[in-house]
Amino acid sequence: MQSVKTSNPVGAGSRAPPTLSKLNDTNGHQFMVPTKKINEGEDVQFFLTSKAYKDIVTWILMLNVAMFPRKTADGKITTWPTGLSPQNLSTMVVQLQSLLQDLHTMIEHNPPNTGPRRFGNIAFRSWHAMLEAKIDDLLKQYIPEKLQSSSVGEVTPLAEMKAYLLGGFGSAQRLDYGTGHELSFLAFLACLWKLGAFAASEEGVEERAIVLHVLQPYLKLVRKLILTYTLEPAGSHGVWGLDDHSFVPYILGSAQLSPAIVGNAHVPTEGSLKGAPNPSAVTKLESVEMRRDSNMYFDAIGFIFDVKKGPFWEHSPVLYDISGVKAGWAKINKGMIKMYLAEVLSKCPVVQHFPFGSLFLWERDPDAIAPAATAHVNSQPTARGPSENSVGTAAPWSRSATSLPPPSTGANIAAKRGPASETLPTTRLVNHEVPARSGDAVNATVPRTAAPWAKSNNSTIEVKGTSAANMSLTRAPWAT
């Protein structure tokens, strides 16, 4: 298996994409119950150089390149839209479809509570409890019999895979779902691949079947769970995140619209499939509805339109910015993969719940390159407590009555604030102008965003000690 280097994770250019290796002998393999290993930022840095990280990235790249359109020697182009009737599916793919259908049926047996609530519906805990109670029987019913026992040790392959399947459907405790749960289901599929559960086929054929007929139905099921039980986003960045719940459909959906390739030898990083919609089409509801049944990217955007109201640029500014890319869907695809590595696999709140066993090893990959000292790496949380000399922040009620300051008057409040020129000015979006996107020409005066109730202020922001010459701007991966 080819090593995955963080310096070129996309597999672009003339280099063939990596392949996730399979176990040669499952009977002689020592399986393990996966356990939590990531507790603080330093653990994330080790994870980025681990064998598990390499396998996860390899698996995603395999699925990604499989979704690129193909061109034959005579110039015929074949695309892979979602929603087509399945043909000649392998037994494992069909079994996984049945498994997902059973999980979908369980929603009918656990209807949402109708009482008042502020966040997620607690009926989701009943659905998740049913999943935990039935998961062993479901795995025995749908997973090949050869993977249900082990000749070495007491832990079976099913026992190791179960942790990843359970982790793929949100948190019953927090009533949420996010990209970490999506990652767990991807790992479950990768476990089956490693164990040889999927049928041998021409390169890319079985991978496409996994995406179109397992992963896409999984996303449909998850969206049903989110809508039924009003699950909260897990680890969301709010409007400044790509999506509240998912990421992978944007990778695979952009691959569907990228230029056709011959085999797997070359993955383009710019351009689009002939006849593909312009990336800006995702901002128009009519265009999204027309394409969501055939493309994973537009389907994910369609779900955003289902659950959010208002201007697209307002509730999804990152996706709006991406819609301005002029270099085509392949450019977006490359940027999405880089963003996934940085915003999902490199973030402690996302990967901290991912467990490690024998199939995803918590061991250093000898070919790995140490992660660069970027803002993503340096901003990781730490499990260390405050030092003895540190001064903590006390609650207002923790002080004694004699230590409380006297009530402030309007005059001394203004004095404490200092002159108006030292306060930060308020900004507003002038005349509700639509902000510029990555591919748009930059206006000389960029509108600034403010709360609707903010007063007008024409002063400018000046950061002492910082000049335009030495400021370092952060750019999106797809920005030219």
Side-chain angles (χ1 to χ4, degrees):
M1 181 175 65
Q2 295 187 10
S3 61
V4 178
K5 305 291 187 178
T6 57
S7 58
N8 184 12
V10 184
S14 60
R15 190 182 68 172
T19 302
L20 185 63
S21 61
K22 301 178 181 180
L23 294 179
N24 295 325
D25 182 15
T26 57
N27 291 327
H29 183 79
Q30 179 75 53
F31 292 94
M32 301 165 54
V33 176
T35 57
K36 177 180 172 68
K37 298 291 186 181
I38 299 177
N39 299 295
E40 57 179 328
E42 291 183 358
D43 297 331
V44 176
Q45 295 186 46
F46 180 83
F47 166 64
L48 297 178
T49 62
S50 68
K51 293 181 178 179
Y53 176 83
K54 180 178 73 171
D55 287 348
I56 291 170
V57 176
T58 299
W59 180 236
I60 293 172
L61 294 182
M62 283 178 58
L63 300 179
N64 180 64
V65 73
M67 294 307 296
F68 272 71
R70 292 300 195 274
K71 181 190 295 185
T72 59
D74 59 0
K76 182 181 178 181
I77 295 177
T78 305
T79 59
W80 324 110
T82 54
L84 294 180
S85 300
Q87 296 181 353
N88 302 322
L89 297 180
S90 67
T91 301
M92 188 70 260
V93 170
V94 173
Q95 292 290 79
L96 289 174
Q97 286 183 319
S98 300
L99 170 61
L100 293 173
Q101 184 57 47
D102 284 358
L103 300 185
H104 197 283
T105 304
M106 285 167 46
I107 299 177
E108 302 173 4
H109 298 294
N110 296 277
N113 290 1
T114 57
R117 64 186 184 278
R118 183 178 179 185
F119 298 112
N121 196 300
I122 59 174
F124 177 65
R125 290 173 179 157
S126 300
W127 182 91
H128 211 281
M130 181 177 287
L131 170 62
E132 294 180 14
K134 292 186 173 183
I135 191 168
D136 288 329
D137 292 336
L138 289 171
L139 288 173
K140 290 178 181 178
Q141 179 180 355
Y142 294 117
I143 301 303
E145 186 176 354
K146 66 177 182 179
L147 302 181
Q148 300 183 18
S149 61
S150 175
S151 61
V152 180
E154 298 180 356
V155 180
T156 65
L158 290 189
E160 181 159 347
M161 288 188 292
K162 179 172 73 172
Y164 300 108
L165 181 60
L166 271 177
F169 295 96
S171 170
Q173 178 183 5
R174 299 184 301 274
L175 301 178
D176 63 13
Y177 175 89
T179 51
H181 304 111
E182 180 186 67
L183 170 63
S184 188
F185 187 79
L186 282 174
F188 169 70
L189 297 178
C191 288
L192 291 171
W193 180 275
K194 282 190 164 192
L195 297 173
F198 291 106
S201 62
E202 295 182 11
E203 194 168 24
V205 173
E206 191 70 354
E207 293 95 312
R208 278 191 291 277
I210 292 170
V211 172
L212 297 174
H213 304 295
V214 180
L215 190 54
Q216 178 68 357
Y218 160 77
L219 294 171
K220 295 287 188 182
L221 170 59
V222 163
R223 290 165 189 158
K224 177 69 173 179
L225 291 171
I226 293 170
L227 292 176
T228 302
Y229 302 113
T230 57
L231 299 183
E232 293 291 309
S236 171
H237 294 287
V239 297
W240 298 113
L242 181 75
D243 186 291
D244 281 344
H245 301 98
S246 297
F247 202 115
V248 169
Y250 296 99
I251 297 176
L252 302 176
S254 58
Q256 287 177 285
L257 299 173
S258 295
I261 61 177
V262 179
N264 289 340
H266 178 80
V267 178
T269 58
E270 289 189 355
S272 297
L273 177 70
K274 185 177 181 180
N278 191 286
S280 63
V282 303
T283 65
K284 304 175 182 66
L285 178 59
E286 299 81 3
S287 178
V288 171
E289 290 296 332
M290 184 171 61
R291 296 177 173 88
R292 67 182 302 179
D293 291 335
S294 60
N295 179 263
M296 299 179 73
Y297 194 106
F298 279 83
D299 194 26
I301 297 286
F303 184 68
I304 293 179
F305 277 111
D306 291 341
V307 299
K308 294 186 178 183
K309 305 302 179 183
F312 186 79
W313 58 263
E314 189 173 73
H315 60 64
S316 302
V318 176
L319 286 167
Y320 175 81
D321 185 60
I322 297 169
S323 72
V325 171
K326 304 298 184 184
W329 287 102
K331 180 77 170 182
I332 294 176
N333 180 258
K334 177 183 177 181
M336 284 294 178
I337 294 176
K338 289 185 177 180
M339 191 176 181
Y340 187 82
L341 302 184
E343 296 295 337
V344 177
L345 297 185
S346 298
K347 289 300 178 71
C348 188
V350 178
V351 298
Q352 63 178 331
H353 302 295
F354 189 89
F356 299 85
S358 70
L359 298 175
F360 288 98
L361 287 169
W362 185 254
E363 295 179 3
R364 182 175 177 82
D365 173 23
D367 297 327
I369 300 174
T374 63
H376 298 288
V377 174
N378 294 334
S379 62
Q380 301 292 353
T382 175
R384 298 184 181 89
S387 63
E388 296 181 0
N389 298 326
S390 63
V391 179
T393 302
W397 53 84
S398 65
R399 310 180 207 169
S400 63
T402 58
S403 64
L404 292 175
S408 299
T409 65
N412 59 33
I413 289 176
K416 289 179 181 179
R417 287 178 178 169
S421 61
E422 295 181 3
T423 61
L424 289 176
T426 56
T427 57
R428 69 172 64 247
L429 191 63
V430 182
N431 297 327
H432 300 285
E433 295 179 43
V434 179
R437 298 173 290 193
S438 290
D440 296 339
V442 179
N443 198 323
T445 57
V446 180
R448 296 174 291 184
T449 305
W453 53 84
K455 296 181 179 180
S456 177
N457 192 316
N458 294 325
S459 59
T460 57
I461 299 176
E462 179 180 354
V463 182
K464 295 182 178 180
T466 304
S467 65
N470 57 27
M471 288 182 66
S472 177
L473 300 179
T474 302
R475 297 177 64 84
W478 45 81
T480 54

